[in-house]
Amino acid sequence: MGGTASADGSGPPRGGRRGRGRHTPKGRQVDPAALEQVRTVLGNRARRRDLLIEHLHLVQDRYGHLSAAHLAALADEMRLAMAEVYEVATFYAHFDVVRGDEAPPPAHTVRVCDSLSCCMFGAEALHARLVSACGPDVRVLRAPCMGACDKAPVVAVGHDLVETASVESVTAAVENGVSPRPPSSPVRYHDYVAAGGYRLLRDCLSGQTSAEHVLDLLGRSALRGLGGAGFPTPRKWTLVRGMRGRKIVAVNADEGEPGTFKDRYHLETDPHRMLEGMLVAAWVVGANECYIYLRDEYPEIRHILEEEIACLETDGLAPNVRIHLRRGAGAYICGEESAMIESIEGKRGYPRHRPPYVAEVGIFGHPTLVNNVETLFWVRDIIEKGPEWFNALGKENHPGPRSYSVSGRVREPGVKIAPAGVTARELIDDYCGGMLDGHEFRAYLPGGASGGILPASMGDLPLDFGQLDQYGSFVGSHAVVILSQHDPLRAVALNLLRFFEDESCGQCSPCRVGTEKAVRLMEQPEWDTGLLSELSAVMRDASICGLGQAASNPLESLLRFFPDEIQGPQDRSTGGWS
């Protein structure tokens, strides 16, 4: 029934027809001042839906947070529903959304990495000391891996990274507004060209080299996807090349696996090898757009890439390809290729159900070739030096080289380019200068947080794809963390499960609820091993993507290889490390 007004005709209608008696539209109103500020920040940039995350970064970079007024203004300016903007802004960890009447965050934000390698070197105690040492205008937060595990413990002051951090170095960085981190010295465009760089790409563009020839050489090499899955690269290129219509290339530079920092190394030292490999890939598959999705934790690399991409474009090396550099916002899940594509499209990083696969339906629905930074890094050398040269860099039955990110209790941690199939013991002794004084090799993570934990007695197993499956483990992105007798393995596993709990995207309940329940059970003095094993099986079998499917691997490793380590109290203040 329709509403009625009061007897004298005054007063609001009841029950009412839509719009009668309302002087403003429903929903949050747009503040004209905030709208003008947003327009000033965006300038003449396009207001496309896929640029939402980029625009959120611009507003936050300018004002230090995202207020409700700015979110409403951004939604109005981009012609989006407020819900669309809000759900994206609140999904990513690096966006500081101020809700309602909340006060804006303090002037300075300090993020202390609490992932495994940093906790092994005192991150928990450092966090506690910084909370006491920093004043009221400094916010001290915990944060996941920042991709500098070889310099643990690591702290981010704003966007500046403080390596091997102490209370003194962090407070100095806050006061001075600069970071003591030494600047990187990448090979710049003109030096790269002078050393023969982009000769391969020029040959491709001029017709001196054919796409079939490139695919033949890659097919004879052992090049695989080196972001974790290990899918043969030439097969992926051939698949996308055979698709009809518009095609796109996406570079996954969002390494977020705790213990992984090889992409940072390659991009900081020789970014053009990746860029040339990317452009050759685009030429082979027939793509006219390339998207580079880069971790927000790597701002210095973003500046390097902006400058170097501008140089190669000015020199005419991307005549038919448009290169987009996209900035992540603190979501480990976006290392999964379909979640990365969702983020590139300006949405929450939710993994897609498959099939269809991204090679068929990727960015904006077009066939998309997704490759890791390291995979593209090797393309030029394989074509110029030959697949035999590349394959010979590996061990027998393990062709090709690998970039191993090694951290933990070794004298010389860092990225070690070593033969595929190298062992953990060889990495320690031959590449890392041995164990630290007072530490004995006791266990190791062969593939980052999700790769499981193996005992030192299995330290002579080859670290390569498919070699560790029978032990419930894998090499993944080749992030190797070395543990000693001073690392309580119960605390190690709990640290890794807390990471997965924090980083679950929340889309599927086996992962969202399972990681939380696993952490609560593992925090108990006595573990219910039967219940934990059952929970692990559900997560592994029912989760949508690899995060939930592999999250329980550290737990399963302890139950299988270290049954004596699973009981006893857990000290949250130190993470289990004394």
Side-chain angles (χ1 to χ4, degrees):
M1 295 178 60
T4 58
S6 57
D8 61 359
S10 64
R14 296 175 305 184
R17 296 176 182 171
R18 185 173 54 193
R20 183 177 294 175
R22 180 180 293 278
H23 300 290
T24 59
K26 290 184 179 181
R28 187 179 296 277
Q29 303 309 298
V30 177
D31 182 328
L35 181 59
E36 184 58 33
Q37 290 170 341
V38 166
R39 287 174 174 169
T40 300
V41 169
L42 299 188
N44 60 0
R45 296 175 177 85
R47 268 61 167 170
R48 299 195 315 269
R49 173 67 174 82
D50 62 291
L51 293 173
L52 174 57
I53 295 173
E54 297 295 306
H55 294 347
L56 288 168
H57 274 303
L58 291 172
V59 175
Q60 176 157 297
D61 288 346
R62 173 63 180 83
Y63 294 100
H65 63 281
L66 297 172
S67 68
H70 283 139
L71 290 178
L74 184 61
D76 183 79
E77 182 67 10
M78 297 186 70
R79 301 295 186 263
L80 297 174
M82 180 64 180
E84 292 181 272
V85 175
Y86 189 81
E87 71 177 4
V88 171
T90 54
F91 179 85
Y92 294 93
H94 288 188
F95 291 138
D96 285 318
V97 177
V98 177
R99 299 168 173 85
D101 296 328
E102 290 180 351
H108 300 284
T109 296
V110 171
R111 290 182 170 87
V112 182
C113 177
D114 66 356
S115 289
L116 178 59
S117 295
C118 285
C119 279
M120 292 166 64
F121 289 90
E124 291 285 354
L126 177 62
H127 176 271
R129 292 181 62 196
L130 285 172
V131 169
S132 300
C134 294
D137 62 338
V138 178
R139 178 178 54 164
V140 181
L141 304 175
R142 297 177 183 273
C145 186
M146 298 176 185
C149 314
D150 54 333
K151 303 293 192 303
V154 178
V155 173
V157 178
H159 280 298
D160 292 324
L161 209 61
V162 182
E163 299 174 342
T164 56
S166 64
V167 172
E168 294 74 21
S169 62
V170 172
T171 53
V174 171
E175 294 172 1
N176 299 329
V178 294
S179 167
R181 186 173 190 267
S184 57
S185 300
V187 175
R188 296 293 183 175
Y189 174 73
H190 295 293
D191 293 328
Y192 182 76
V193 171
Y198 290 113
R199 183 184 304 135
L200 168 62
L201 179 61
R202 293 181 192 275
D203 288 346
C204 292
L205 295 175
S206 66
Q208 295 184 49
T209 296
S210 68
E212 291 75 14
H213 179 64
V214 171
L215 287 172
D216 175 64
L217 293 177
L218 288 179
R220 287 157 47 196
S221 79
L223 184 64
R224 307 179 69 164
L226 297 173
F231 191 83
T233 300
R235 285 175 54 191
K236 185 183 289 189
W237 286 29
T238 301
L239 178 62
V240 177
R241 175 178 167 80
M243 294 291 171
R244 294 182 177 180
R246 174 187 170 197
K247 285 164 277 191
I248 298 174
V249 170
V251 180
N252 190 339
D254 191 54
E255 56 178 2
E257 183 82 10
T260 307
F261 46 94
K262 63 186 179 68
D263 291 352
R264 162 175 259 163
Y265 169 80
H266 288 304
L267 291 174
E268 280 188 335
T269 57
D270 201 354
H272 285 283
R273 285 189 183 273
M274 181 279 290
L275 291 171
E276 184 168 12
M278 175 190 74
L279 291 172
V280 169
W283 175 78
V284 168
V285 304
N288 60 5
E289 288 190 276
C290 294
Y291 286 82
I292 303 171
Y293 189 85
L294 181 67
R295 291 193 77 183
D296 193 36
E297 289 86 349
Y298 296 170
E300 69 284 355
I301 296 177
R302 188 174 73 254
H303 298 318
I304 291 170
L305 289 176
E306 288 171 344
E307 294 174 358
E308 301 308 303
I309 290 171
C311 289
L312 69 88
E313 288 179 333
T314 299
D315 221 12
L317 288 173
N320 303 310
V321 177
R322 186 177 179 186
I323 302 173
H324 307 267
L325 181 58
R326 290 295 175 86
R327 180 177 171 186
Y332 166 71
I333 191 62
C334 289
E336 196 276 339
E337 62 179 8
S338 65
M340 178 190 70
I341 286 175
E342 290 287 297
S343 189
I344 286 172
E345 294 179 356
K347 297 178 286 189
R348 292 175 294 179
Y350 275 180
R352 296 177 178 177
H353 292 271
R354 290 173 287 185
Y357 295 92
V358 301
E360 304 166 280
V361 181
I363 299 174
F364 309 128
H366 300 288
T368 301
L369 172 67
V370 179
N371 276 145
N372 168 260
V373 168
E374 186 190 359
T375 301
L376 295 172
F377 178 88
W378 291 113
V379 167
R380 173 192 164 192
D381 281 339
I382 291 173
I383 305 305
E384 292 184 344
K385 299 179 181 179
E388 295 77 15
W389 166 85
F390 180 81
N391 295 344
L393 295 178
K395 288 194 159 191
E396 184 177 2
N397 299 320
H398 303 283
R402 298 285 189 273
S403 301
Y404 294 90
S405 307
V406 186
S407 62
R409 306 299 190 179
V410 293
R411 291 180 182 273
E412 301 169 11
V415 173
K416 311 297 178 181
I417 299 179
V422 73
T423 70
R425 203 176 303 276
E426 287 172 332
L427 283 175
I428 294 169
D429 295 337
D430 300 338
Y431 291 86
C432 297
M435 298 290 291
L436 287 171
D437 290 342
H439 292 265
E440 299 174 3
F441 180 32
R442 188 187 179 204
Y444 67 106
L445 278 64
S450 56
I453 307 170
L454 298 178
S457 60
M458 299 170 68
D460 295 315
L461 295 173
L463 297 177
D464 199 4
F465 295 111
Q467 301 300 304
L468 307 178
D469 295 2
Q470 60 184 310
Y471 308 108
S473 186
F474 54 78
V475 294
S477 60
H478 296 78
V480 181
V481 183
I482 304 299
L483 309 173
S484 78
Q485 78 276 18
H486 297 297
D487 300 311
L489 299 185
R490 175 188 168 100
V492 169
L494 183 54
N495 176 281
L496 300 175
L497 262 294
R498 283 184 175 132
F499 169 80
F500 291 122
E501 178 191 18
D502 290 340
E503 293 297 326
S504 172
C505 74
Q507 181 179 190
C508 69
S509 57
C511 176
R512 180 185 67 250
V513 179
T515 52
E516 178 185 356
K517 295 300 182 184
V519 168
R520 300 292 88 79
L521 289 169
M522 293 170 69
E523 288 175 335
Q524 301 304 312
E526 300 293 325
W527 284 11
D528 186 334
T529 56
L531 184 56
L532 282 168
S533 295
E534 183 178 352
L535 178 61
S536 173
V538 171
M539 293 167 59
R540 183 174 58 251
D541 295 340
S543 295
I544 289 175
C545 79
L547 190 156
Q549 294 163 8
S552 61
N553 281 347
L555 164 64
E556 289 288 345
S557 297
L558 255 66
L559 296 177
R560 182 175 184 177
F561 300 114
F562 305 96
D564 296 336
E565 294 281 343
I566 63 178
Q567 308 300 347
Q570 174 67 38
D571 184 355
R572 184 65 175 90
S573 65
T574 65
W577 284 270
S578 58

